[in-house]
Amino acid sequence: MPIDARRIHRRRVWLTLLLLSSEPLMAQTRPAEPNYDEAKVPSYRLPDPLVMADRQPVKDAATWRTKRRPELLALFEREMYGQAPVKPDVLTFKTLESDRQALDGAAIRKQVSIFFKGLNDGMDMVLLVYLPAKAARPVPVFLVPNFQGNHAVAHDPKIQLSTRWIGPNYPGVVNNRATEESRGAEASRFPIGMILKAGYGLATYYYGDLDPDYDDGFKNGVHGAFDSFERGRRPTDAWGAIAAWAWGASRALDYLETDPDVDARRVILMGHSRLGKTALWAGAQDERFAIVISNNSGCGGAALSKRAFGETVAAINRAFPHWFCANFRRYNGREANLPFDQHELIALIAPRPVYVASAVEDRWADPKGEFLAALGADPVYRLLGTEGLPVKQMPDVNQPVHGTIGYHIRSGKHDVTDYDWQQYIAFADRHLRSSKPAGDP
Ligand code: GTR
């Protein structure tokens, strides 16, 4: 064949291959209209958290603990979030800055680098900690990952400006880097004054310290640093970004355990939206967290997947292919095949107090699905001797319910508001103000 003809032939073959390969892909990725109609929610059966995979019933706390809980944990790990490495034994901490007169004397501030490989090699996360200056120490602490860098949680010029990649649409971010204009941009979600006044500390880390939130083929962040797979082939149950951000929450707690000003047995992990998903997964795995709070976490967080209301498994995997492990894609459009649902993720936190919060206008996150998942966890909480969720029906708007499972749906949109924080502080007071941390065996 003459060279030109060969070139044309090659191009034809290539085009045919491209068409063939992209067709199923296009069919799969064509955005489906989200369903917001209750009448169109598919009929589904929720798996019973108190029945083992081999259909044996779970009748006592010991069977839950030794058999069912590990079974469920492994299922979520394999099919959804992926497997994260264990705590590195070379973890080290370095206090970058501390001030016992911060925020006009109201707070102790600390900024601590947590080096994952024990080296100052860029593989670290920076934890920002504020503690009430006047409270009796050690104090309980809310640990809350942030979206825009530690400098964005308060108008405090002493907070180190993050130098990492940051999402492009945030205030003051230029070329995916923070500028001075970024300071305090996320402050409305971190009412530090309210938290300190209630006697709690706040610890926060930028989730992008663990893994930048875009699909980079798992080259950057902790994936790049820790992954070494046989022949470079990434297993279908390798950790996604949510698992990495959750792993960071546990590393933050590793540090907090060493801080004499902090009561590490009373650390409340709270996260919003994708970081609410993160909080639930971290809290499910790491039983050191005394309370776990999911704020508007939606699909892949507190909301039941099988309802396919608002954001669906296919929609989330399509928009964020790096969030979950590859196995989770098998359930795109096939929620009925999921051998678990998110009520069982919440149940993994039992008997420790857990709080699920929704917002009326946050239909994308399926508030009803979030409530039903909290309710679906209730039998496990009761088996373990707690009061579980004290209601069977979804409460009215702005009528919080605080059992061992807490729930509220507030008016307004997808966000974290002072109202939400008032509930979280009241919930934490209720469970942690006694001498013995709740859920302590
Ligand atoms: C949305 C996503 C949600 C939620 C949210 C957020 O785009 O579909 O699952 O995580 O982002 O994190 O703000």
Side-chain angles (χ1 to χ4, degrees):
M1 227 189 281
I3 290 186
D4 270 0
R6 235 183 324 191
R7 220 183 263 149
I8 289 168
H9 174 73
R10 238 190 273 138
R11 190 179 301 164
R12 263 201 211 126
V13 170
W14 185 81
L15 272 173
T16 318
L17 280 176
L18 186 78
L19 270 174
L20 280 175
S21 68
S22 62
E23 236 191 330
L25 199 76
M26 271 153 56
Q28 203 194 338
T29 54
R30 193 181 303 131
E33 278 299 307
N35 175 43
Y36 291 124
D37 182 352
E38 271 307 317
K40 290 191 184 142
V41 168
S43 63
Y44 62 88
R45 261 196 49 208
L46 281 189
D48 187 336
L50 293 178
V51 174
M52 300 281 305
D54 66 4
R55 294 177 201 268
Q56 290 300 308
V58 177
K59 292 199 180 125
D60 52 69
T63 311
W64 167 262
R65 246 226 86 72
T66 58
K67 296 211 170 99
R68 180 60 171 155
R69 188 178 186 284
E71 178 179 83
L72 269 175
L73 207 49
L75 205 55
F76 277 103
E77 189 174 68
R78 193 185 71 220
E79 300 296 313
M80 191 167 180
Y81 300 103
Q83 203 180 345
V86 296
K87 173 185 172 181
D89 46 18
V90 290
L91 205 72
T92 55
F93 314 112
K94 182 181 172 199
T95 302
L96 306 171
E97 184 261 358
S98 95
D99 183 354
R100 297 190 91 84
Q101 290 294 319
L103 303 180
D104 296 325
I108 299 169
R109 182 189 55 239
K110 304 182 189 188
Q111 300 182 71
V112 179
S113 257
I114 301 173
F115 295 109
F116 304 135
K117 298 204 154 177
L119 307 163
N120 191 353
D121 60 354
M123 282 323 305
D124 68 323
M125 65 194 282
V126 180
L127 193 68
L128 166 66
V129 185
Y130 285 111
L131 303 172
K134 291 192 183 75
R137 282 185 289 276
V139 291
V141 164
F142 282 93
L143 173 62
V144 188
N146 66 70
F147 283 81
Q148 301 180 41
N150 293 349
H151 59 271
V153 310
H155 293 278
D156 177 348
K158 294 284 171 54
I159 305 174
Q160 278 197 357
L161 207 61
S162 172
T163 56
R164 305 237 195 232
W165 183 97
I166 299 180
N169 299 322
Y170 293 122
V173 173
V174 178
N175 297 330
N176 294 109
R177 293 287 181 269
T179 66
E180 284 296 320
E181 305 298 307
S182 319
R183 289 193 179 280
E186 211 182 335
S188 71
R189 290 178 175 173
F190 290 82
I192 295 172
M194 187 201 299
I195 296 168
L196 295 177
K197 218 160 155 198
Y200 294 86
L202 170 75
T204 184
Y205 64 91
Y206 172 49
Y207 79 138
D209 280 0
L210 284 306
D211 191 33
D213 192 0
Y214 62 90
D215 186 13
D216 60 19
F218 301 104
K219 298 277 182 300
N220 298 336
V222 287
H223 296 110
F226 284 95
D227 289 354
S228 73
F229 301 125
E230 228 174 279
R231 279 178 275 133
R233 291 244 292 275
R234 195 175 168 76
T236 55
D237 67 346
W239 54 336
I242 291 176
W245 305 327
W247 186 85
S250 290
R251 302 297 71 84
L253 185 49
D254 292 337
Y255 163 74
L256 293 172
E257 282 185 329
T258 68
D259 188 327
D261 291 329
V262 170
D263 183 352
R265 283 159 48 94
R266 289 185 295 162
V267 173
I268 308 131
L269 178 60
M270 189 289 244
H272 168 61
S273 205
R274 67 198 68 186
L275 296 177
K277 310 178 208 296
T278 300
L280 288 173
W281 180 229
Q285 296 172 91
D286 191 334
E287 295 182 276
R288 294 173 299 167
F289 290 110
I291 297 183
V292 181
I293 301 172
S294 143
N295 191 91
N296 306 178
S297 64
C299 179
L304 294 176
S305 302
K306 289 179 189 284
R307 277 171 49 81
F309 187 102
E311 187 169 31
T312 60
V313 171
I316 204 166
N317 278 329
R318 187 169 51 230
F320 308 104
H322 55 298
W323 280 7
F324 300 94
C325 74
N327 283 341
F328 194 46
R329 291 182 212 146
R330 295 196 305 217
Y331 304 101
N332 285 358
R334 296 190 177 93
E335 284 87 352
N337 293 353
L338 272 169
F340 55 85
D341 210 330
Q342 299 306 100
H343 62 307
E344 292 172 308
L345 177 67
I346 298 171
L348 285 171
I349 296 161
R352 293 162 294 150
V354 66
Y355 201 112
V356 174
S358 309
V360 174
E361 291 167 36
D362 190 19
R363 293 191 311 158
W364 181 240
D366 186 14
K368 186 170 175 190
E370 293 180 320
F371 171 76
L372 289 175
L375 185 62
D378 175 79
V380 176
Y381 273 83
R382 289 190 192 263
L383 180 76
L384 300 184
T386 78
E387 66 183 310
L389 184 66
V391 294
K392 295 270 170 274
Q393 300 294 328
M394 199 163 166
D396 287 342
V397 175
N398 300 330
Q399 296 295 320
V401 176
H402 290 186
T404 312
I405 303 174
Y407 178 83
H408 74 244
I409 175 163
R410 67 157 165 75
S411 43
K413 61 184 177 65
H414 185 73
D415 200 357
V416 189
T417 66
D418 282 5
Y419 177 87
D420 296 317
W421 272 106
Q422 283 153 9
Q423 305 317 315
Y424 303 153
I425 289 170
F427 189 72
D429 281 351
R430 179 188 164 135
H431 290 291
L432 296 184
R433 285 300 180 190
S434 65
S435 54
K436 198 176 99 176
D440 215 8

